[in-house]
Amino acid sequence: ALVKMARSLEGSLDESTADAAAELKFKLKQIERESAKLDDPEVDPGDVEASIMQLQEEVVDLHQQLYEDLRDPYSTEAAKDWYDRVVRRQVGDISRHGVQGSFAKSRKLPPEADTYMVDFYLDPVEAITNYISGVTRKVEYEKRFGTKTVPKGKRQRTSGNSIDPASNVHDFMSYVSEEMAAAGMKEHEVRQIQKIVEVVTGTGAPADFALETVLNALNTFGTMALLPRAVISSVAEPMTAAVTTGSVTDGFRAFAYSLDEFATFVRGRTARERKQYYKQLGSVLGVIDLPESGEVIANRVGGTAEDDSKNAQRLGRFFFRTGLVSITNAQRRGSLRVGIRYLGQLGEQYAKPASPRMKDRAREVLQDFGVRPDDMDQFADFMMNLEKNEKGMYEIDSIIDRSGELSDMGEILALATRRFTDQTIQDPKIIDRPMFADSPVGRIVFGIQSFIAAFQRNVLLASAKRVQREYENRGITSAAPYAALNVALPLGALYLSHTLVSAVREMLLNPDKWEEEKEADNLEMYLLTLGLSRSGFTGRMDPLINAATSLKYQSDLSNMLVGASASYYARAAQRMIYPTLGLNSPNTVSAEYQFARGTYDMIVPFALSILATHSGLGGVAQAAAGVTAAAGSSPGVKHWVLRNIIYQLYDEEYRPGRSGRKSGSGSSGGYISKGGYSN
């Protein structure tokens, strides 16, 4: 073992220690050769044993020398490795690779350790959040890639040594990597597969460079500046259930169930009990999570660094106080209710089909939701006989065992309902985004595109694949009506719902744009196009379409490449710099208005985000701060404030998007004097 350690530390050893290790290895081989001679009947065993005794004495001396020589280099390498884990705070393998592993268990640290370690201590809430995330990720990783999944007899690595003995044992990923390389796969291809697994499972080492914290903070505050009113855009999202089930009625049912949790304090005891029950059921099945330690909201608005819990908590707190967390969880619980009902219908359709075609369809959809073929019969029977109490609520005891763990069919139900819910109220996964999007720079570039990425995969592509499957399995005569009634009609209802919500949002929060489009006789087309984008129908092409039209945000192809957050700050800075370039006309206050707007965009949303995420606010203050953040950054409020500032400073009113000349100058511009609007 000492020789093996010396070889792994070879670059850190002086010449005499390396020579001692080589000599010790040589003498151990000599002992093996001498021992083999004892099987030869022509050899005098006494001479062999004497030789072995002599070699063993020499080995003892070398062993002592090597042990003493290795103390310092081993301690140095172990300390560097431990320090690296402290700094990186890797959560992928908390049991072995974390700083709380065997080092802390094998000794009791003296009191002065606090003096040295104080800079590395985490806030208790942050530490608990990281621990929960780490434990969950470790357990799930072990299920799929743990040592127990490696064939017996092949768990020891054949190449590579480490000072950490556990690192010399295969997990499934390292084992299959060696197998792929042995089969002829190129090294860079093996590395790419390993990298994909690390990114998806969250077990790779986080990026380690000085700007990481700054970039994550920039992305966090940029996201909060851009999406404080996301709660309004998400109002119509439950209608996506119509696409998932192929029934418009289910879309309205999911929408109604989402509203069922509203104002329960005035609707009576039954409504409050029902809300509490579905909160419990949603937690048991895993379709909702906590705002400050969960990932659903972070995933929806673009993803956060796994090791950046402070910004993740800030983002979760912000969207909790602006209402997005509450409405999202209510919608996911409403979708859960529709999902369980739909799974029950599929179970009955599979077990008691009206025709073989209906049974095949039920089987295909259940497989889409994660039900394996060998579990299909049992799960269908389970769903048909899922017990309800006298109030029509499912008996949770039929889903979980006495130990509190999900039963075998409960596990499948949890998986199926999570998939149904994720396809209705989007919970983007890492796999929905490009790999680059989960780096500090990539999170800024891809910004708030996670939702449309998930919508494209879960709704648009999934709908197309269902139609294709229907055509391949049952022909055009079945695929045509299926596409019309089960796909096109629900998609149309979803589009109409989002368009109506977008129209109300624009009328209330962006009245200047409303009036501008109305005066241009383009209001209807503008709202129809906006509904197409806000509903997600443009998919991954949405950034390109928005770059050409500036439909939702002012954007172009150049700033699209740096991401929504970075371009938001860049545009604000550009507006502030413009008056200093000497390009301002004395006949307009356009440049002054743009400077005021840039200053507003740079300061006000940032300040409102700080206020809305302050941890010391009470219940009423939290709600007020959230509403203020949403309203204060809205176009309507922003332009109203800026117009009044310009009016007070220059005694003139100004509206952007028009020519900006004074009233009475003969122009049909948008400059407005005290007397009113010019034509």
Side-chain angles (χ1 to χ4, degrees):
L2 279 176
V3 170
K4 187 176 181 180
M5 182 186 297
R7 293 180 65 187
S8 68
L9 299 173
E10 193 167 340
S12 306
L13 303 180
D14 57 37
E15 186 175 351
S16 62
T17 305
D19 290 343
E23 185 178 358
L24 180 56
K25 181 180 180 181
F26 176 73
K27 290 188 179 298
L28 291 172
K29 288 183 178 293
Q30 279 188 305
I31 291 176
E32 290 180 2
R33 286 196 295 268
E34 290 295 318
S35 299
K37 293 179 181 179
L38 292 174
D39 296 330
D40 189 347
E42 297 181 359
V43 175
D44 184 1
D47 293 340
V48 174
E49 290 176 356
S51 176
I52 291 176
M53 289 290 293
Q54 177 65 29
L55 288 169
Q56 286 178 338
E57 290 175 2
E58 295 173 2
V59 164
V60 170
D61 293 336
L62 285 170
H63 176 272
Q64 183 175 357
Q65 176 189 344
L66 187 61
Y67 183 87
E68 292 297 327
D69 288 348
L70 286 178
R71 287 172 63 92
D72 288 343
Y74 172 78
S75 299
T76 301
E77 291 299 317
K80 288 179 180 178
D81 180 68
W82 189 76
Y83 175 79
D84 183 63
R85 298 202 302 272
V86 172
V87 173
R88 289 175 178 264
R89 301 208 311 271
Q90 181 145 315
V91 299
D93 192 348
I94 61 165
S95 64
R96 171 172 60 81
H97 201 63
V99 298
Q100 72 274 38
S102 59
F103 175 86
K105 293 179 181 178
S106 60
R107 67 202 71 191
K108 183 177 181 180
L109 298 180
E112 56 268 24
D114 288 336
T115 304
Y116 297 108
M117 296 303 300
V118 64
D119 292 335
F120 300 98
Y121 288 161
L122 301 177
D123 173 81
V125 175
E126 182 181 358
I128 292 173
T129 301
N130 285 349
Y131 183 78
I132 293 172
S133 177
V135 168
T136 304
R137 189 166 293 106
K138 172 65 175 176
V139 170
E140 296 302 322
Y141 184 87
E142 286 296 321
K143 286 181 181 178
R144 297 160 179 81
F145 299 100
T147 301
K148 67 178 183 180
T149 60
V150 179
K152 291 184 179 180
K154 296 188 177 182
R155 294 182 178 177
Q156 192 69 27
R157 288 179 184 265
T158 58
S159 61
N161 295 305
S162 171
I163 60 174
D164 181 1
S167 296
N168 298 317
V169 178
H170 273 310
D171 62 9
F172 186 76
M173 192 64 242
S174 62
Y175 161 72
V176 79
S177 296
E178 284 191 358
E179 293 294 306
M180 289 187 292
M185 183 178 284
K186 296 179 180 179
E187 181 179 355
H188 74 274
E189 294 174 334
V190 176
R191 299 294 183 196
Q192 183 72 4
I193 292 175
Q194 291 174 336
K195 181 63 176 177
I196 292 172
V197 172
E198 287 179 357
V199 171
V200 172
T201 58
T203 53
D208 187 20
F209 58 95
L211 287 178
E212 180 183 6
T213 302
V214 176
L215 292 175
N216 285 331
L218 177 70
N219 184 52
T220 298
F221 282 97
T223 300
M224 290 189 290
L226 290 167
L227 296 177
R229 297 169 305 283
V231 60
I232 301 176
S233 299
S234 67
V235 167
E237 195 175 357
M239 283 299 299
T240 312
V243 184
T244 309
T245 66
S247 169
V248 175
T249 304
D250 283 334
F252 286 109
R253 183 175 285 110
F255 188 83
Y257 286 162
S258 301
L259 296 178
D260 185 49
E261 297 189 3
F262 180 72
T264 56
F265 63 96
V266 297
R267 289 170 46 223
R269 179 179 175 181
T270 302
R272 291 194 298 272
E273 289 179 349
R274 186 166 55 246
K275 179 179 180 179
Q276 184 179 27
Y277 165 78
Y278 281 107
K279 280 186 175 182
Q280 295 172 349
L281 184 61
S283 297
V284 168
L285 297 178
V287 301
I288 59 173
D289 60 13
L290 298 176
E292 293 192 8
S293 61
E295 298 179 346
V296 171
I297 297 301
N299 288 342
R300 284 168 64 84
V301 299
T304 58
E306 295 293 350
D307 58 328
D308 193 354
S309 57
K310 289 184 178 179
N311 278 320
Q313 290 178 28
R314 182 182 294 276
L315 204 61
R317 194 179 300 133
F318 178 82
F319 286 109
F320 175 76
R321 293 175 181 177
T322 57
L324 183 61
V325 171
S326 298
I327 193 172
T328 298
N329 281 339
Q331 289 171 342
R332 288 179 69 83
R333 287 190 290 267
S335 177
L336 163 69
R337 296 171 65 176
V338 174
I340 295 180
R341 183 177 182 275
Y342 181 55
L343 289 170
Q345 292 173 343
L346 289 172
E348 185 172 1
Q349 181 178 326
Y350 176 83
K352 301 176 181 179
S355 67
R357 173 180 295 185
M358 298 299 289
K359 181 170 185 174
D360 287 342
R361 278 185 180 174
R363 175 183 52 78
E364 292 166 353
V365 177
L366 286 171
Q367 282 188 256
D368 290 342
F369 289 131
V371 183
R372 291 176 172 271
D374 51 351
D375 294 323
M376 195 75 66
D377 293 329
Q378 185 179 356
F379 182 73
D381 182 69
F382 170 78
M383 290 307 303
M384 284 195 303
N385 297 289
L386 195 59
E387 297 180 7
K388 293 183 179 181
N389 59 23
E390 65 278 2
K391 296 183 179 180
M393 300 177 185
Y394 298 103
E395 291 287 358
I396 294 183
D397 289 343
S398 62
I399 300 172
I400 60 176
D401 295 327
R402 290 183 178 272
S403 63
E405 297 181 353
L406 289 166
S407 63
D408 54 351
M409 289 298 104
E411 287 274 7
I412 299 175
L413 175 62
L415 172 62
T417 52
R418 282 199 301 269
R419 286 193 179 183
F420 181 94
T421 305
D422 289 347
Q423 291 175 18
T424 303
I425 310 299
Q426 306 301 314
D427 177 19
K429 311 299 183 186
I430 290 177
I431 203 68
D432 291 319
R433 302 185 289 266
M435 188 183 302
F436 178 60
D438 283 279
S439 66
V441 176
R443 275 187 290 276
I444 292 179
V445 173
F446 285 90
I448 54 180
Q449 299 180 33
S450 292
F451 177 88
I452 59 174
F455 187 88
Q456 175 173 297
R457 183 168 74 95
N458 292 331
V459 179
L460 301 181
L461 293 180
S463 298
K465 288 179 179 179
R466 285 197 294 268
V467 174
Q468 181 184 11
R469 183 173 63 193
E470 189 71 17
Y471 170 73
E472 292 176 349
N473 293 344
R474 286 171 277 278
I476 187 64
T477 56
S478 179
Y482 180 85
L485 299 177
N486 295 79
V487 177
L489 188 60
L491 286 173
L494 177 63
Y495 166 68
L496 180 61
S497 301
H498 275 286
T499 301
L500 292 174
V501 172
S502 295
V504 174
R505 169 177 166 155
E506 291 297 294
M507 182 179 62
L508 296 177
L509 299 178
N510 198 4
D512 286 341
K513 183 66 174 177
W514 181 283
E515 292 298 328
E516 178 185 336
E517 296 293 340
K518 186 176 181 180
E519 290 181 11
D521 197 23
N522 189 49
L523 180 60
E524 295 82 2
M525 184 57 63
Y526 168 72
L527 293 176
L528 290 172
T529 310
L530 184 63
L532 189 69
S533 179
R534 290 200 184 280
S535 62
F537 278 34
T538 53
R540 296 297 296 273
M541 296 297 294
D542 189 73
L544 291 173
I545 294 173
N546 192 67
T549 63
S550 293
L551 195 61
K552 292 186 292 188
Y553 307 104
Q554 292 187 358
S555 179
D556 55 40
L557 289 174
S558 59
N559 61 39
M560 183 186 74
L561 300 178
V562 299
S565 297
S567 61
Y568 171 84
Y569 291 115
R571 284 195 302 271
Q574 181 178 333
R575 291 188 177 108
M576 295 172 67
I577 294 172
Y578 183 78
T580 67
L581 302 179
L583 303 176
N584 186 27
S585 169
N587 297 322
T588 72
V589 290
S590 174
E592 289 82 355
Y593 185 92
Q594 293 302 321
F595 175 81
R597 181 178 176 182
T599 304
Y600 189 102
D601 287 343
M602 191 70 76
I603 296 175
V604 174
F606 178 82
L608 293 178
S609 298
I610 292 290
L611 175 64
T613 57
H614 194 279
S615 59
L617 299 180
V620 176
Q622 289 178 12
V627 171
T628 302
S633 58
S634 67
V637 172
K638 175 169 63 177
H639 292 311
W640 181 84
V641 171
L642 295 178
R643 281 198 302 272
N644 278 278
I645 291 175
I646 295 298
Y647 181 84
Q648 295 299 324
L649 293 176
Y650 299 99
D651 201 29
E652 299 289 349
E653 291 188 21
Y654 176 81
R655 289 182 180 272
R658 307 178 190 182
S659 68
R661 294 185 181 179
K662 292 182 179 180
S663 176
S665 65
S667 167
S668 59
Y671 194 95
I672 307 165
S673 68
K674 286 184 178 180
Y677 293 90
S678 64
N679 290 325

